[in-house]
Amino acid sequence: MATFNKRGYKAPKEKEDKGVNTFVDDIEQVNVDEKDSATAKAFDTLDQSASKAEDFVAKNQKVILGFLTVVAIATVSYLLYQKFVAEPNQDTAANELFVAQQNFQKAVDGGEKADSLYNLVLKGSEGKQGVVDIANQYSGTAAGNLANYYAGIAYLNTGKYAEAITSLEKFSADDIMLSTLAKGAIGDAYAQQNKQKEALDYYIKAADASQNDFTRPRYLLKAGKTALALGNKVDAQKYFTDIKDNFESSPEAQNIDALIGLAQ
């Protein structure tokens, strides 16, 4: 007997067995295990390092505390020194230096009393110390340092060239102009002692210290003349030519062609 399906009826399809991708899961599990293992090793290493550090601190506790105490005392001592010693000394030195500065400026401005004024700068006046004593007594202050410069220039202008060099060599400055002038003045002091080679060295240092239109041509000219006196015409021509090429409007450039001719 024949059988018929009901209209619209379809036989159900068998479900496909997709299975489980155990291979991927296994890889992921391995990766997780490896990460866990690496993390654990890292923590173990940190624990060991921390333990060693703790042991070191425990064994050297007295030394470490002693070092920290020394640092703390040094810091506090420095701050106290700055507050109660350095700052008052600077104020006192600046007050002492004021009269010497006035006399120095009068001497620089020129006049028949320049020598006597420079001596007042050195020795003091009006109840104030001279720059020599200020430089020695307040050597750790800015005013004491500046006093070395005044002393050097005063010595130079009163014919005490060795003393001038000693004072100027003690002077140090962040101010490029004063630093340059100090080097040039040392060169002048050596030149006055007929120590031309030493003078040349300092003139070159002064010329190279700054490229400004005032000091560089000034000390290039002195370097050139000194080199010429030493018989070094090649260097002399180089210094003179530098003035002609780069500082033609400076006072030092006047008659520079004649000096170049002498150096050739």
Side-chain angles (χ1 to χ4, degrees):
M1 184 175 69
T3 60
F4 299 93
N5 290 329
K6 294 180 180 179
R7 181 176 296 179
Y9 173 81
K10 293 183 180 179
K13 294 181 179 179
E14 294 184 2
K15 293 182 179 180
E16 295 180 2
D17 185 6
K18 295 182 179 179
V20 179
N21 196 342
T22 57
F23 178 71
V24 174
D25 291 342
D26 289 342
I27 291 177
E28 292 178 351
Q29 184 62 43
V30 170
N31 290 338
V32 171
D33 291 342
E34 287 179 350
K35 290 179 182 177
D36 289 343
S37 177
T39 303
K41 288 180 181 179
F43 279 114
D44 287 342
T45 302
L46 290 174
D47 288 341
Q48 292 174 7
S49 299
S51 178
K52 290 179 180 179
E54 290 173 359
D55 292 341
F56 176 82
V57 172
K59 291 178 181 179
N60 299 277
Q61 186 172 8
K62 291 183 178 180
V63 175
I64 294 172
L65 290 175
F67 173 76
L68 293 175
T69 300
V70 170
V71 172
I73 291 174
T75 302
V76 172
S77 298
Y78 174 78
L79 294 174
L80 291 174
Y81 174 82
Q82 290 294 317
K83 180 66 177 177
F84 297 105
V85 178
E87 291 180 9
N89 277 351
Q90 169 60 22
D91 293 339
T92 303
N95 183 54
E96 289 289 327
L97 190 60
F98 179 72
V99 172
Q101 286 176 313
Q102 288 184 318
N103 287 328
F104 182 87
Q105 189 58 52
K106 291 176 183 177
V108 171
D109 290 341
E112 296 179 358
K113 298 181 179 180
D115 286 348
S116 61
L117 286 169
Y118 279 125
N119 282 319
L120 290 178
V121 170
L122 290 167
K123 297 177 181 178
S125 63
E126 301 179 28
K128 299 297 183 181
Q129 292 176 302
V131 292
V132 176
D133 289 336
I134 294 172
N136 291 331
Q137 186 172 345
Y138 302 100
S139 59
T141 67
N145 178 52
L146 186 57
N148 283 313
Y149 175 78
Y150 291 134
I153 302 301
Y155 277 134
L156 178 63
N157 283 277
T158 53
K160 297 178 180 179
Y161 305 120
E163 292 88 342
I165 293 169
T166 299
S167 293
L168 290 167
E169 285 181 338
K170 292 178 182 178
F171 174 68
S172 61
D174 294 330
D175 185 294
I176 191 64
M177 184 64 72
L178 278 182
S179 178
T180 300
L181 292 174
K183 291 181 176 68
I186 293 175
D188 289 340
Y190 276 122
Q192 290 295 329
Q193 293 177 306
N194 201 30
K195 296 180 179 179
Q196 302 299 331
K197 185 178 182 302
E198 291 84 351
L200 178 59
D201 289 341
Y202 273 93
Y203 287 147
I204 294 171
K205 289 179 181 178
D208 291 342
S210 175
Q211 298 295 321
N212 70 72
D213 293 342
F214 172 66
T215 60
R216 183 162 173 80
R218 177 180 182 179
Y219 293 116
L220 281 174
L221 182 63
K222 291 190 176 189
K225 290 181 177 180
T226 305
L228 200 58
L230 289 169
N232 191 343
K233 291 187 175 183
V234 174
D235 284 346
Q237 183 176 352
K238 178 179 67 175
Y239 303 137
F240 295 144
T241 302
D242 193 337
I243 295 172
K244 180 178 180 178
D245 292 344
N246 300 303
F247 303 96
E248 61 180 358
S249 61
S250 68
E252 290 77 14
Q254 296 180 10
N255 302 318
I256 199 67
D257 287 331
L259 290 171
I260 293 174
L262 289 174
Q264 289 176 342

